[in-house]
Amino acid sequence: LLEKLCELLGAPVAAFYLKEGDRYRRRGAYGLARSNQAQSDFAPGEGVLGQCAANAQPTVLSPVPSGLSIISSGLAEFPPNELVLYPVMHRKEVLAVLELATTGSLDASQHEFLRAACEALGLHLANLQVSEHNLALLEETRRQSEKLHASAHYARSLIEASLDPLVTISPEGKITDVNTATEQVTGVDRETLIGSDFADYFVEPEKAREGYREVFSQGFVTDYALTIRHASGRLVDVLYNASVYRDEEGQVLGVFA
């Protein structure tokens, strides 16, 4: 980009300073004879470049004060005739500063070209910033998703490790989740259990419903005697222990038994 601008404008030296945090750092250069020839970074208001960034206005220095910039050829070094500084902006924010050292004076059409080029570059930089921000959000979302997945896997492994039947039940009395022990004690697979009526798997369905309603009224129930009927007809006596579980706002979501 700098090389093309220099070719079009007849400027032998150029530098590009990108805003990074609260400072602008040189991220591109063309025609510099030495690595220390130009300022490498600055803050808004600091020096000539900083004034350009702070004022958000193009700046032309002519003649160029001694020591500010040097144009070097194979045979000699000499100061430029003009030092041209343009802010690269988007929505009133200076995202970068473009610096050109010229041997002559830029005319009105060249300045108009620079203004248009900096406007287009500002839009491009803003789009890049949005893309980088979106990528960062996606990466953070991915990390959070991995953490949630790991937490869910851990919680699930604890539930499945239990030898006792564990089940979650909706406020309507429908089963929303079970562990393997529940499948074994009922003789019914998980897919069939989920969505079915919790009370249907007991010898005394109404007693099971009474225990369920007691959990909702008191918040919990302990050692509530029930008998499960296995799909084969075998009966299994159990002690029903249950409590309500809530969301982050304290609303009851169902029963964990």
Side-chain angles (χ1 to χ4, degrees):
L1 174 63
L2 292 180
E3 181 178 1
K4 190 64 175 177
L5 280 175
C6 286
E7 290 177 1
L8 292 171
L9 298 171
V13 177
F16 184 76
Y17 303 86
L18 186 65
K19 186 178 183 182
E20 297 178 1
D22 57 356
R23 297 187 70 81
Y24 293 82
R25 304 187 187 280
R26 190 174 72 216
R27 292 306 180 199
Y30 177 79
L32 292 182
R34 301 188 298 269
S35 61
N36 64 346
Q37 183 175 331
Q39 191 173 351
S40 61
D41 68 284
F42 58 88
E46 185 178 288
V48 179
L49 287 162
Q51 286 298 324
C52 177
N55 297 334
Q57 294 293 332
T59 301
V60 178
L61 294 181
S62 180
V64 177
S66 177
L68 276 187
S69 186
I70 294 174
I71 295 176
S72 178
S73 68
L75 299 176
E77 291 183 343
F78 51 91
N81 182 65
E82 281 188 349
L83 193 62
V84 180
L85 311 176
Y86 265 80
V88 178
M89 302 177 61
H90 180 71
R91 294 183 178 177
K92 299 182 179 181
E93 180 184 3
V94 179
L95 303 178
V97 174
L98 175 65
E99 179 183 25
L100 297 169
T102 67
T103 55
S105 297
L106 299 184
D107 60 30
S109 64
Q110 289 174 314
H111 278 286
E112 185 60 33
F113 169 77
L114 266 177
R115 277 190 289 270
C118 287
E119 183 178 340
L121 184 56
L123 179 59
H124 178 66
L125 289 176
N127 288 336
L128 286 177
Q129 288 181 347
V130 170
S131 296
E132 290 177 356
H133 179 66
N134 288 339
L135 285 174
L137 287 178
L138 286 173
E139 179 61 21
E140 179 62 24
T141 300
R142 184 190 63 80
R143 286 196 294 266
Q144 292 296 330
S145 177
E146 288 179 352
K147 288 181 180 179
L148 288 173
H149 178 75
S151 297
H153 178 74
Y154 176 70
R156 187 76 207 179
S157 66
L158 291 179
I159 292 172
E160 292 297 342
S162 174
L163 298 179
D164 295 323
L166 297 176
V167 59
T168 57
I169 314 160
S170 73
E172 296 73 34
K174 303 297 183 182
I175 295 174
T176 56
D177 199 5
V178 298
N179 65 349
T180 302
T182 303
E183 294 181 85
Q184 294 172 345
V185 77
T186 60
V188 180
D189 61 75
R190 185 172 185 270
E191 288 72 20
T192 303
L193 286 167
I194 292 177
S196 62
D197 193 313
F198 165 73
D200 289 347
Y201 300 96
F202 295 91
V203 173
E204 299 176 273
E206 189 53 41
K207 184 180 179 181
R209 292 189 182 94
E210 288 175 5
Y212 175 76
R213 287 191 287 266
E214 186 175 331
V215 177
F216 270 100
S217 65
Q218 298 184 5
F220 68 95
V221 71
T222 58
D223 295 336
Y224 191 88
L226 290 170
T227 301
I228 295 174
R229 189 190 302 278
H230 189 273
S232 65
R234 177 169 52 90
L235 303 182
V236 181
D237 292 329
V238 295
L239 292 176
Y240 176 60
N241 295 280
S243 64
V244 295
Y245 64 95
R246 306 172 185 270
D247 61 16
E248 294 180 353
E249 297 179 352
Q251 299 297 315
V252 174
L253 296 178
V255 170
F256 181 72

